[in-house]
Amino acid sequence: MNGFSAAVVTACAASLIGALVSGFVTDGGIKKILGLVLGAFTVCVMIVPVSRAASDFSVDIGGYQTYGELTATADEAYQRQLVSTTRQNLEDTLTAVLNQNGIYPERVEVILAFADESSIIISQVSIYISSSDISKTAEISRLTEQSFQIKPGIFGSEDE
């Protein structure tokens, strides 16, 4: 913008000087030559900022991700969302199974892992129960193994 304002000021100054000089020059031939010179100068003053802007213009696409990177990022986001949703569904299902059998855990955690690119396995199940439910540990373990085919880690809380 600074170059543009300098060009405008220079063009205005050239026009003002041209108007003043043409008022003092009475000869028609000199007046025409002076008008031609001042017109050419004004055009050059207006072209210089445009040519500088065009030469300074550069497209820097180095900071943008490639199609492959964007696709990988979208796939990773989808996989994270899929794992998160699957984990939440498994936790809710195990909690419901235990609740149906009169066991009310404080918290259930399921940890998932990828077996390969298209398979998710249950890596670990942790069940947190109150100290009043410690006697039901065998039943909790049996229900979990029956429903999920994995031996859970059962942890009693010390809050009570």
Side-chain angles (χ1 to χ4, degrees), residues 98-114:
L98 293 173
N99 288 346
Q100 288 174 354
N101 289 285
I103 302 166
Y104 300 96
E106 291 179 354
R107 189 172 79 224
V108 173
E109 289 181 357
V110 176
I111 298 175
L112 302 176
F114 286 100

Side-chain angles (χ1 to χ4, degrees), residues 10-28:
T10 306
C12 290
S15 299
L16 182 62
I17 292 170
L20 289 173
V21 170
S22 66
F24 293 119
V25 175
T26 57
D27 186 19

